[in-house]
Amino acid sequence: MKYDVAVIGAGIVGLASASAVTKRFPGASVVVIDKEPTIGFHQTGHNSGVLHSGLYYKPGSLKADLCVRGQRAMVEFCETEGLPFKRSGKLVVATDPSQIPAMEELLARGTANGLRGLRRINADEIKEYEPHCGGVAALHVPESGVADYQAVAVRLAEKLSGDIKLGQPVERIRSGTGGVEIDTPGGTIEARAMIACAGLHADRVAAMSGLETPGRVVPFRGEYYQLTEAASSLINGLIYPVPDPRFPWLGVHFTRRVDGRVEVGPNAVLAMGREHYRGVRPEFGELARTFAYGGFMKLAAKYWKTGAMEVWRSARSSTYAKTATKLVPEIRGEHLEPGGAGVRAQIVMPDGSLQDDFSMIKTENAIHVLNAPSPAATSSLAIGDHIANLMQGLL
Ligand SMILES: Cc1cc2nc3c(=O)[nH]c(=O)nc-3n(C[C@H](O)[C@H](O)[C@H](O)COP(=O)(O)OP(=O)(O)OC[C@H]3O[C@@H](n4cnc5c(N)ncnc54)[C@H](O)[C@@H]3O)c2cc1C
């Protein structure tokens, strides 16, 4: 059978895109292909579960637009589908007066991005939301919260009117004017058009179909600790630091997840492989390829001190606790238990910069989602709609 659309990747972005395409083009036949045996096996199943509000992103960027629309759509989806979520609200806390200008900058961004109820609060007001949190001032972000993105992906898969082929790694892609032929161990899948949402392998899948990408994926691991049950009562919702504007990640923070556990993290260290989770053997070949990439070496030369500090902190719970203590002074090393880890797919450009915004490339018969790091889970339903718009002319 020849499908109208083949989607590579049964993560939340691939499934949201497949779902949006079936709505935008009624009657279109769709297949979703993934190399893993289950839905949402990689980033979709290894993240903080935070429903980002859209606070951090440059006004006018795809991230700003799709995150704000996406979080509202995600809440509606979870409500309608009876999936767990909570609009717990977030504090972004300045622990030192020197951080206030950066906090004010976030307030301006969030206001420009149209966030509802966003406001600056003082040290006394911080205590009303989070009695154990220190800090000289904070932003209160009511539109933030938590969700279970793997559950969302599974539900999107259940509701999809299309085929899903799991355990089928895409090995080769032949692309021509008539469409695409996608080789998997289970056979060749033909489609008029393709949407590639391959996360950690986005650049490789693009290369398979002959597309030269502007940068390449460098995997950054995020490691978590979890608060002991006794200490978890110190946190009500989400407590974040004011982030370092040089990096797209948000700094070690506290997250009370939908199941009530409180996670601390994630940090950001170079992963020893694109799928280097805890307990998985490092892929030294992949590490060598990262070091051979000029873009990564330029990034490392610029930020080696920050990188070394992250590695040091990663190895010692007491150092991790010290970072967390800045936000919640009662936290001690003994309150932290090792938690999970996830690997972020981040495009690093040849000049050593980290691609900040989401990026999608449209070719004559495909859309390639190249850079979809956080907040892509939050934004996924809006990303799906955006991709369905981009599909105009391909079907
Ligand atoms: C540590 C961490 C914390 C995060 N926290 C948050 C957060 O709190 N909030 C938020 O909004 N976002 C967060 N994110 C980001 C979010 O998880 C991702 O942006 C989102 O899950 C991306 O979804 P995806 O579908 O693009 O990728 P993925 O979920 O990685 O899916 C890609 C799929 O493609 C498949 N694939 C790859 N290559 C092939 C191939 N050759 N053949 C077949 N299949 C293939 C993979 O098996 C995979 O299932 C976090 C990410 C990490 C790592």
Side-chain angles (χ1 to χ4, degrees), residues 8-14 33-36 40-52 149 168-170 197-201 205 208 220 222 224 240 266 342-344 372-379:
I8 301 179
I12 199 164
V13 173
I33 310 160
D34 202 291
K35 66 192 180 73
E36 303 296 349
F41 193 90
H42 289 290
Q43 296 174 93
T44 298
H46 293 85
N47 57 54
S48 305
V50 173
L51 193 63
H52 286 293
Y149 293 120
Q168 296 297 324
V170 171
C197 308
L200 288 152
H201 301 277
V205 168
M208 274 187 216
F220 288 95
Y224 297 88
Y240 278 60
V343 184
R344 304 172 178 91
S374 186
T378 304
S379 319

Side-chain angles (χ1 to χ4, degrees), residues 58-260:
K58 210 166 148 193
S61 64
L62 275 179
K63 271 190 180 175
D65 176 34
L66 299 177
C67 184
V68 175
R69 286 200 281 131
Q71 48 101 344
R72 291 173 188 158
M74 185 61 70
V75 165
E76 206 180 305
F77 184 80
C78 291
E79 246 165 10
T80 313
E81 293 297 320
L83 294 174
F85 81 97
K86 199 171 176 201
R87 275 244 197 253
S88 30
K90 174 203 276 199
L91 294 185
V92 179
V93 180
T95 50
D96 186 278
S98 65
Q99 296 168 347
I100 287 182
M103 194 190 83
E104 293 287 356
E105 171 62 20
L106 286 183
L107 178 62
R109 280 193 172 192
T111 306
N113 292 341
L115 298 201
R116 297 171 186 150
L118 173 67
R119 68 186 183 110
R120 181 179 164 160
I121 59 176
N122 62 30
D124 292 337
E125 289 168 308
I126 290 176
K127 302 280 182 208
E128 289 170 21
Y129 294 101
E130 295 285 355
H132 302 277
C133 179
V136 292
L139 297 181
H140 180 239
V141 194
E143 283 195 276
S144 290
V146 282
D148 179 343
Y149 293 120
Q150 187 150 28
V152 170
V154 168
R155 184 58 54 87
L156 286 169
E158 285 165 356
K159 288 174 69 89
L160 185 71
S161 61
D163 293 341
I164 300 184
K165 295 181 188 287
L166 298 178
Q168 296 297 324
V170 171
E171 293 166 337
R172 256 178 310 278
I173 300 169
R174 283 178 297 283
S175 169
T177 43
V180 289
E181 291 178 0
I182 300 169
D183 291 344
T184 70
T188 297
I189 295 162
E190 288 181 63
R192 287 170 62 202
M194 178 177 82
I195 303 173
C197 308
L200 288 152
H201 301 277
D203 52 347
R204 287 186 178 151
V205 168
M208 274 187 216
S209 55
L211 183 67
E212 249 183 59
T213 54
R216 59 160 284 180
V217 170
V218 173
F220 288 95
R221 190 158 120 136
E223 298 157 335
Y224 297 88
Y225 281 87
Q226 193 172 299
L227 287 191
T228 56
E229 213 178 314
S232 70
S233 60
L234 297 173
I235 313 293
N236 287 333
L238 300 164
I239 307 179
Y240 278 60
V242 175
D244 181 337
R246 295 170 304 164
F247 301 106
W249 17 93
L250 304 176
V252 166
H253 50 264
F254 293 91
T255 307
R256 181 173 283 280
R257 300 192 59 126
V258 284
D259 61 6

